[in-house]
Amino acid sequence: MTKNRLFWIAASLGLFLDHLTKFWVVQTFRLYETWPLWSGVFHFTYVRNTGAAFSLFTGAGWLRWLSLVVSIGLMAYAWFGSRLPRWEQVGWGLILAGALGNGIDRFIAGSVVDFLDFRLIQFPVFNLADVFINIGIICLLIASLQKVDPIGESDRK
């Protein structure tokens, strides 16, 4: 497992943190209970989401299977594919952490535990798995920018 080590570290750490925070929320809060950390701006609010981001596809049972397929695909890519650049390893690893974190919730409970509630902008409640997916996408964007051929570099050959 030394190839793409950062991928596996990011995925493992992300999955651990996601499920640790969800466990804390489920053990500490009653469903729909909210704790204002900064009143009107940021709260911890325990909700369950049977859909995807922004509650899209609410109640869609196929989301659990999509999470599973994406997770298996990413693991196969890291295991059988070539060694990835550092930012890609971290990006894909964090996306795996998010897909697995929410996928496990969907398989076990039929819904995802959400609790991060930014009320200032009326953003839907979300969780660390969602955060990791977004940070993973940012890492992949950084990786793609590093691959951009500066103007004229290819002409020098």
Side-chain angles (χ1 to χ4, degrees):
M1 210 178 342
T2 57
K3 182 175 68 170
N4 296 318
R5 176 174 279 155
L6 290 175
F7 170 89
W8 300 106
I9 291 170
S12 300
L13 186 60
L15 181 62
F16 173 76
L17 291 173
D18 176 60
H19 273 271
L20 179 67
T21 57
K22 289 173 179 175
F23 178 78
W24 172 74
V25 167
V26 169
Q27 296 301 312
T28 307
F29 291 78
R30 291 182 321 274
L31 192 58
Y32 305 114
E33 182 179 2
T34 187
W35 290 2
L37 296 178
W38 183 359
S39 189
V41 177
F42 180 72
H43 294 223
F44 283 149
T45 304
Y46 174 27
V47 297
R48 291 206 161 255
N49 181 1
T50 60
F54 305 105
S55 295
L56 295 172
F57 312 114
T58 298
W62 55 267
L63 284 172
R64 71 182 67 184
W65 298 105
L66 178 62
S67 295
L68 179 64
V69 168
V70 167
S71 297
I72 291 170
L74 287 172
M75 288 186 281
Y77 181 57
W79 188 265
F80 297 112
S82 60
R83 187 174 188 290
L84 298 169
R86 178 181 10 207
W87 283 106
E88 284 187 40
Q89 287 186 51
V90 173
W92 290 121
L94 290 174
I95 291 170
L96 175 61
L100 272 177
N102 284 341
I104 290 168
D105 282 3
R106 287 186 181 106
F107 270 101
I108 292 175
S111 62
V112 173
V113 172
D114 286 333
F115 61 95
L116 300 172
D117 185 4
F118 278 100
R119 294 186 174 189
L120 182 65
I121 57 173
Q122 297 300 306
F123 200 79
V125 181
F126 58 100
N127 59 42
L128 284 185
D130 303 324
V131 172
F132 294 141
I133 290 169
N134 284 284
I135 293 172
I137 291 168
I138 291 168
C139 291
L140 294 177
L141 288 172
I142 291 169
S144 71
L145 290 174
Q146 289 182 338
K147 291 180 183 179
V148 173
D149 184 27
I151 297 172
E153 286 297 313
S154 60
D155 294 336
R156 292 184 188 175
K157 295 179 182 179

